[in-house]
Each structure stands twice: as C-alpha cells, then as structure tokens.
Amino acid sequence: MTIDQAGVPEARPGPAFPEHEARVDALRQQLSAISGETTIRLAKRTSNLFRSRTAANHPGLDVSGFSHVLRVDPEARTADVEGMVTYEQLVDATLPHGLMPLVVPQLKTITLGGAVTGLGIESSSFRNGMPHESVLELEVLTGDGRIVVATPDNEHRALFHGFPNSYGTLGYALRLRILLEPVKPFVRLRHVRHHDRGKFFEALGEICAKSEHEGEHVDFVDGTVFGPDELYLTLGTFTDTAPTTSDYTWLDIYYRSIQRRETDHLTIRDYLWRWDTDWFWCSRAFGVQHRLPRLLLGRRFLRSSVYWKAVALDRRFRIAERLLKLRRLPPEETIVQDIEVPVGRAAEFLEFFEREIPISPVWICPLRQRPGGVRWPLYELDPEELYVNFGFWSSVPLDPGERDGVHNRMVEAEVTRLGGHKSLYSDSFYTEDEFWRLYNGDAYRELKRAYDPGERLLGLYEKCVRRR
C-alpha cells in the first residue's frame, strides 16, 4: 500500500469496478484539498433526516456521483451498489431479474448507504431484520481518510458491525454488496381488523412466529392503528396472478383503503412504494388528499421527495410557526419518531401513547433480527425477541408553560422503561450520560479511536442530539 502526499492510502481491496474506482479517486482528491482542521460533512441534495442542524460554512464532500447500481448478479442473488443509490433505483434494477432487496424502506429516496448507517425497517423485517443485516461487504471512507473494505470476518469486522446506527460519524459508505431475494409479480393483501390492542399484538406475534394466517403463508406484515378500537394487521403474500390490481400512485389513497377493503392486490413494485405517494398519511398536511389537487399535481408530484422539499422550506422560513401565531393558536411540538419495544410490552406502549400523545394514525411494523447471533453493538437487539416498531409523525399543541421537547422526552422515557430502542433520524433529547448508556458509548468510542482519531467527523451525540 502506498501513501500519497495528502497522507491518504491509495491501495484498496475489493472487486474491480473501473468507473467506481475513478469516482473514489476523485473523492480522495476532494478530501486532500480540505484542511485537516476542518470538520468533514457530505454535500448532498437529498436527506430523509428529520432533525435540524446548525448551518455549516465550510465545504463538504460531494458524493452525488456515487449513485450507480454497479452489478446485479441473479445467480448469486447479490447486488453491488454505490452508497448514494436510492431504493427506487435499486428496486428498478433488481425487479427485472425477479429479485428485491431483503428489506426495502418505505420512501423512494432513502439511499442504501443511509439505510445501513442509519437503520431502516419495513414489512419484511419480521423475517429479514434491518437493511444492514443483508450487507455482505462494505467499502467505507473513514474519518481518518482511509478507504477500507469491511466484511463480517476481516480485519475491519469491528467497523462492519459498528457501522449501523453510526449516522456517518465513523465514515461514509461508498459501495455495498447486499443480498437479494426472489419475488413474484403480485402481492395479495388482507387487512384484518382488531378491536382490542392486547389481542391485536397477540395475533401479530403468532403470525410472525408461523409466517402464516388462517392457513395462508405470509411474506409481509405491518399494521395501522386509527384509534383505540380500530387496529388493522395488513398481511401480504406473494402471488403469481391477481384478478385485478389497485393503483395508489395518483387519485386513490392507500392508507384509506385499509379501512375500506378486506382484501386487495398490488404489483410488487406498487406494494413496495404503497406508502410513498402520500408519505404514509402525512400528505394531508399539504392539502393534497382531495381529488382536485391530486388531479392537478399528477403522479410526478405525489411523492415523498416533493413533500420533503416543502418541509425544508417550512423549516427555513418557519411558515407553520408564523401561521399559528397569526391565528393566536398555541405553539406546537413536532413529534416525528420511530421506536420499537418487545412485542410483550407493545400494548403497554400503545396505551401510554394514546393517553399522552394525541397523534393518529400510527404505523406498526414487527421486527426480528435475522438468525445467526450477529451482534450490532450500536443498536443491540435481543436475537430471540420479536420487537414492534411504532411510527408516528405529526405535531401536538403545547400547553401554557410547557417547553418544546416535553412530549418527545415522555416517549423516550417510556421506551427506555419498556426495554425498547429509539431511532436517531429525528430529534432526540437525551442527556449525554443517558445517550451513551443506551447506545453503547464504550463500543462507539473504541471505533471512533480506530477510524476517526482526529475527530474530523462529528460525534454521534453531537450529530443526533446537539444537532451540530
């Protein structure tokens, strides 16, 4: 291995993808031009993070070119993918081969690198875990300027296992090799209503344990809670044929169909993106769940990436906050979170949530770590436990004298009490001691010393809680 004048190693192990290697060399040149005293950040146009950050004046690394699916190997059922590839791109590359990633997060513009370093979940997670559990090989630009290839059993195995939930504070994923699984052309859906939260989660646990419901195999499981006595399990099964298929990419709204239909059929592509058109149900905040605006906007603008731009505009100009003041309404606290608790405590969490946090609907998604006993130190799950993810994304009014963050802190405390975990893609309010106790500070600090000893990348607490 040789070292260039900037002190960056030039040799890298791994397969040969010449165009990718050229992009890596260009990135190294960018890095060498940035002062060693400057904190490194990515310069990218898209993000699915929901926490504000302090504005930075220094230049960032332009990784926008790392957006290529390098290879799909149908025989090995693997794909080599650059870190900025979106799941929409990846799905479009794999479906023609009758394959899909083991877990496809709900929004089209989530990148593969982002899902692996920041976690992800979907309705196949009860059998396939999270996106990082399907990674075979990971090429990373580390904080100290090295480009290393990490695998589960090579000299960088600690980085491989510590990369999930590090949120770019140890390095940036440039290339990933992932496992794929076979699909069928259609998915048959059953929306099974429950009236009691205890029986709802009992049924969820049984279905996930057997991958079966009423004699029919189940490939996908998620749920939607509309109220204390209106809870739905949505069970998806691959199928070769469908009598008809529904279309939720324009005029019709998927989440409303859950309350109106007992069965449904979607193409596999439309199933994977069933939540994207209306950002689950959050499109209602933009007034586009009425027929006329949907007619005018068309499919092109009914997608999560457009709503995200509207949110960014609101944050920049504080539009919603100003409107509340003009209407003499109390300020609101944004609560955008995904948490998971063991299935045996899920009813308890939902009871707390319905009592304290007036947000509806709520998304439900079961999760179990893939077999094998692999330890992911920055986000440890009990490999024998089924967890239930709760996703809730809205805002609630603050009572006089309440400070912003009070409801989020209540959620954090309850999740900890119930032995659960909270994702860090949105606002967090933990104290530093509490944070490192929950997210394995000892393991993180060891990885930081090994791969970013000069702390050129932000630390995990600084990035996720202090929002620097």
Side-chain angles (χ1 to χ4, degrees), residues 344-376:
R345 312 300 296 273
E348 196 174 344
F349 177 82
L350 184 56
E351 181 181 9
F352 149 81
F353 189 84
E354 291 173 339
R355 182 178 68 248
E356 302 291 349
I357 314 292
I359 290 177
S360 177
V362 174
W363 185 56
I364 301 292
C365 188
L367 161 71
R368 190 192 302 276
Q369 186 171 309
R370 293 186 71 200
V374 177
R375 179 172 175 262
W376 309 96

Side-chain angles (χ1 to χ4, degrees), residues 386-402:
L386 177 71
Y387 292 84
V388 178
N389 177 278
F390 293 79
F392 37 94
W393 318 288
S394 190
S395 59
V396 299
L398 289 168
D399 291 334
E402 283 189 330

Side-chain angles (χ1 to χ4, degrees), residues 41 52-58 467-468:
R41 291 187 179 178
S52 56
R53 295 175 59 183
T54 304
N57 296 321
H58 51 76
R467 301 190 287 278
R468 287 174 52 190

Side-chain angles (χ1 to χ4, degrees), residues 138-206:
L138 186 63
E139 183 186 67
V140 181
L141 169 64
T142 64
D144 59 8
R146 288 177 290 164
I147 295 170
V148 305
V149 174
T151 68
D153 54 6
N154 73 357
E155 69 271 27
H156 299 293
R157 56 187 175 273
L159 178 63
F160 180 90
H161 294 111
F163 197 74
N165 208 47
S166 65
Y167 283 88
T169 64
L170 299 173
Y172 302 119
L174 304 182
R175 179 184 57 81
L176 308 95
R177 178 173 294 170
I178 64 167
L179 286 168
L180 306 172
E181 70 174 8
V183 303
K184 292 184 178 181
F186 305 99
V187 178
R188 177 177 182 261
L189 302 182
R190 286 174 288 171
H191 305 302
V192 182
R193 181 170 179 174
H194 288 261
H195 300 273
D196 176 87
R197 66 172 75 92
K199 293 181 179 179
F200 173 83
F201 289 112
E202 181 181 342
L204 175 68
E206 292 176 356

Side-chain angles (χ1 to χ4, degrees), residues 29 48 74 76 109 119 200 226 259 275 376 394 404 407 421 436 451 463:
Q29 293 175 23
N48 282 283
T109 56
L119 309 183
F200 173 83
F226 291 94
Q259 297 172 292
W275 293 118
W376 309 96
S394 190
D404 187 42
H407 297 91
H421 303 76
W436 289 125
Y451 291 97
K463 187 169 188 177

